């Protein structure tokens, strides 16, 4: 009975929202566009009690599955049924928006590009900004609509601009999912509307979320609480309450359908560490927000992120035998990203492993050793030491050319 009452309330709210759009979209006052029908609690703050759980403790998260991941190491900090296959609702759009970001990086699209809405894009149900066929909007405005209001019509319009059709765009989404190692994901559409076979997992959602937030442009949209379109006539309100009520929130995407329940991919950054928390299959809106908050609190309380610079002395060289030079300079250019338990942060050491000598020829970039990072006796990271230049092998022809060159110099 309670479940029926919840559904009745949601249907009533959707109907009210529909009628609001249907009759007021051309009025002078702004019309509020929401990413979900159930916005009755949008201004109610989340529970501010800090979760004080230690590593190894079980968190009380009311959802079918959950996961907490650090995006730059890919390390999983906490998980519960993270590989359970479930419908994802609008967090599907994380992949849609990732492909749009990549199109912008390739310069196939720009924020100023103008897209004309197709009849197909305008036919989408669920969350929408009520695009009319042939109505034109910039990519920037459509991204606002997709990120903040989870607009299905805007998302399809962007997908069509990238791939020519929604079908082609969905094929790109599935191809990208496979390339990222999202082995339990299958997309049927680019919006997240319930469809047979449209499934993913909390783990896979975390993977694509980590990939999306590496695009800095994303945060221009995912951190926005309120904005507007159509010269202020359409107001956008973000239903990710963490944006408003949780310190350090950087995004990312909510999702709700009858089949998926309440879902959320939440990202937040504090003290140089960013985390991704995914909740899938919550029974209520509060379940997802409180669950994500518990995951993020747990991560920030117990872990720290560091970028370690390799301790390799300047002008370090390796002896070269049978070469045109007696030695080659080496470098360890890459820094090492490490995620540590806070209790281990004082135990970091580095060990340089370098060859005593190498036989020519040597190519620039050849691996000649490594800098390994340890916490106590456990190796947690490594970066290659490589040659900084080419060194040719000495032979008769090379020796003769050097002698001749030396004569001319004299």
């Amino acid at each position: 009975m309670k479940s029926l009452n919840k559904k009745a309330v949601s249907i009533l709210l959707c109907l009210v929202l529909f009628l609001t759009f249907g009759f007021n979209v051309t009025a002078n006052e702004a019309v509020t566009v929401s990413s979900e029908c159930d916005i009755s609690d949008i201004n109610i703050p989340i529970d501010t009690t800090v979760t004080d759980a230690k590593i190894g403790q079980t968190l009380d998260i009311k959802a079918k599955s959950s996961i907490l991941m650090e995006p730059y190491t890919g390390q999983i900090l906490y998980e519960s049924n993270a590989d359970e296959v479930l419908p994802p609702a609008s967090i599907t759009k994380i992949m849609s928006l990732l492909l749009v970001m990549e199109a912008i990086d390739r310069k196939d699209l720009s924020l100023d590009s103008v897209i004309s809405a197709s009849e197909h894009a305008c036919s989408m149900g669920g969350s929408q900004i009520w695009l009319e066929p042939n109505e034109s909007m910039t990519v920037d405005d459509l991204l606002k609509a997709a990120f903040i209001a989870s607009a299905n019509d805007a998302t399809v319009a962007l997908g069509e601009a990238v791939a020519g059709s929604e079908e082609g765009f969905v094929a790109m989404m599935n191809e990208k999912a496979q390339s990222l190692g999202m082995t339990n994901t299958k997309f049927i559409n680019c919006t997240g509307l319930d469809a047979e076979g449209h499934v993913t997992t909390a783990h896979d959602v975390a993977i694509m979320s980590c990939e999306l937030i590496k695009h800095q442009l994303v945060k221009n949209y995912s951190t926005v609480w309120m904005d507007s379109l159509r010269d202020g006539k359409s107001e956008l309100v973000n239903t990710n309450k963490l944006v408003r009520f949780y310190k350090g929130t950087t995004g990312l995407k909510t999702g709700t359908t009858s089949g998926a329940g309440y879902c959320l991919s939440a990202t937040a950054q504090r003290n140089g560490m960013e985390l991704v928390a995914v909740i899938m299959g919550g029974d209520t809106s509060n379940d997802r927000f409180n669950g994500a908050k518990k995951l993020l609190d747990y991560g920030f309380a117990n872990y720290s992120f560091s970028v370690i610079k390799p301790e390799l002395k300047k002008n370090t060289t390796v002896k070269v035998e049978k070469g045109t030079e007696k030695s080659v300079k080496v470098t360890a250019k890459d820094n090492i990203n490490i995620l540590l338990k806070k209790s281990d942060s004082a135990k970091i050491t580095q060990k340089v492993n370098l060859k005593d000598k190498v036989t020519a020829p040597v190519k620039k970039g050849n691996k000649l050793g490594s800098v390994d990072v340890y916490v106590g006796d456990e190796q947690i990271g490594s970066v290659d030491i490589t040659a900084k230049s080419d060194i040719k092998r000495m032979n008769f022809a090379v020796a003769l050319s050097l002698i001749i060159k030396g004569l001319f110099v004299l």
Side-chain angles (χ1 to χ4, degrees):
M1 182 63 71
K2 288 183 179 179
S3 176
L4 288 174
N5 287 338
K6 286 181 181 179
K7 289 183 178 180
V9 170
S10 294
I11 292 169
L12 180 60
L13 286 167
C14 290
L15 181 60
V16 169
L17 190 59
F18 173 78
L19 292 174
T20 300
F21 277 109
F23 293 104
N24 292 337
V25 73
T26 59
N28 291 328
E29 65 271 15
V31 174
T32 299
V33 180
S34 171
S35 63
E36 294 165 357
C37 291
D38 186 0
I39 58 171
S40 58
D41 67 344
I42 197 65
N43 289 313
I44 301 175
I46 61 173
D47 182 6
T48 57
T49 305
V50 177
T51 301
D52 185 22
K54 305 301 181 184
I55 294 174
Q57 285 185 242
T58 300
L59 300 177
D60 180 21
I61 295 175
K62 295 179 174 61
K64 291 180 179 178
S65 66
S66 62
I67 193 169
L68 179 67
M69 184 181 286
E70 194 287 317
Y72 296 96
T73 63
Q75 189 170 333
I76 297 171
L77 309 186
Y78 186 93
E79 61 180 321
S80 176
N81 301 321
D83 292 319
E84 183 177 353
V85 176
L86 297 166
S90 283
I91 53 177
T92 295
K93 294 185 176 76
I94 293 168
M95 179 60 79
S96 303
L97 293 165
L98 172 59
L99 293 185
V100 175
M101 290 295 132
E102 292 182 344
I104 291 172
D105 288 345
R106 294 192 305 269
K107 302 189 184 307
D108 291 344
L109 292 177
S110 74
L111 296 181
D112 295 327
S113 298
V114 177
I115 295 174
S116 181
S118 69
E119 288 191 11
H120 175 65
C122 297
S123 70
M124 295 296 109
S127 309
Q128 55 188 309
I129 54 169
W130 306 95
L131 285 171
E132 295 289 339
N134 300 317
E135 181 179 0
S136 295
M137 277 195 182
T138 62
V139 168
D140 182 45
D141 280 346
L142 290 171
L143 284 171
K144 287 181 187 179
F147 268 105
I148 302 170
S150 195
N152 295 327
D153 46 3
T155 303
V156 173
L158 287 166
E160 290 175 338
V162 172
S165 67
E166 184 182 8
E167 291 79 7
F169 190 60
V170 171
M172 290 178 64
M173 292 168 65
N174 284 314
E175 183 178 351
K176 184 67 176 181
Q178 291 302 305
S179 72
L180 291 175
M182 297 167 56
T183 55
N184 293 310
T185 294
K186 175 67 174 180
F187 297 117
I188 303 299
N189 57 57
C190 67
T191 59
L193 292 169
D194 286 338
E196 184 69 29
H198 185 92
V199 293
T200 187
T201 65
H203 187 194
D204 283 0
V205 171
I207 290 172
M208 66 179 178
S209 298
C210 290
E211 196 70 16
L212 180 58
I213 62 173
K214 291 174 185 176
H215 296 263
Q216 291 303 308
L217 179 61
V218 164
K219 293 169 187 177
N220 290 356
Y221 305 97
S222 62
T223 59
V224 174
W225 175 242
M226 296 184 71
D227 209 321
S228 64
L229 299 172
R230 301 182 175 109
D231 297 321
K233 293 179 181 178
S234 299
E235 290 184 345
L236 309 176
V237 180
N238 196 332
T239 58
N240 180 6
K241 295 203 297 185
L242 298 183
V243 170
R244 187 178 181 186
F245 297 117
Y246 190 80
K247 179 184 175 183
T249 296
T250 56
L252 187 61
K253 192 73 197 69
T254 57
T256 307
T257 63
S258 58
Y262 290 86
C263 305
L264 173 66
S265 178
T267 57
Q269 186 170 19
R270 294 182 185 176
N271 300 318
M273 180 172 70
E274 192 158 21
L275 298 174
V276 173
V278 178
I279 300 292
M280 295 188 69
D283 287 335
T284 70
S285 183
N286 277 338
D287 285 345
R288 61 178 167 187
F289 293 122
N290 289 334
K293 176 188 168 298
K294 287 178 181 179
L295 287 170
L296 294 169
D297 282 350
Y298 172 87
F300 289 130
N302 292 295
Y303 293 89
S304 64
F305 179 80
S306 298
V307 178
I308 305 298
K309 185 175 181 179
E311 294 177 352
L312 186 64
K313 292 180 181 179
K314 189 176 181 180
N315 296 324
T316 299
T317 61
V318 170
K319 183 180 177 181
V320 177
E321 294 186 335
K322 299 181 181 180
T324 56
E325 302 287 343
K326 293 183 178 180
S327 63
V328 60
K329 291 182 179 181
V330 297
T331 183
K333 290 184 178 180
D334 295 330
N335 292 327
I336 306 168
N337 296 329
I338 61 171
L339 188 70
L340 290 175
K341 299 173 184 176
K342 285 187 175 180
S343 59
D344 290 336
S345 58
K347 303 175 184 177
I348 300 174
T349 58
Q350 295 188 36
K351 182 179 179 181
V352 176
N353 300 299
L354 192 61
K355 292 182 178 181
D356 293 326
K357 58 185 178 181
V358 64
T359 302
V362 177
K363 293 291 185 180
K364 181 179 179 180
N366 281 168
K367 180 179 177 181
L368 301 179
S370 65
V371 179
D372 302 328
V373 179
Y374 291 83
V375 172
D377 295 328
E378 180 186 359
Q379 183 178 337
I380 60 171
S382 181
V383 62
D384 290 345
I385 298 174
T386 59
K388 291 184 71 173
S389 61
D390 294 338
I391 304 293
K392 293 181 179 179
R393 184 179 178 86
M394 182 65 74
N395 55 38
F396 177 79
V398 172
L400 181 60
S401 68
L402 291 174
I403 291 170
I404 293 172
K405 183 178 180 181
L407 290 174
F408 276 105
V409 169
L410 294 174

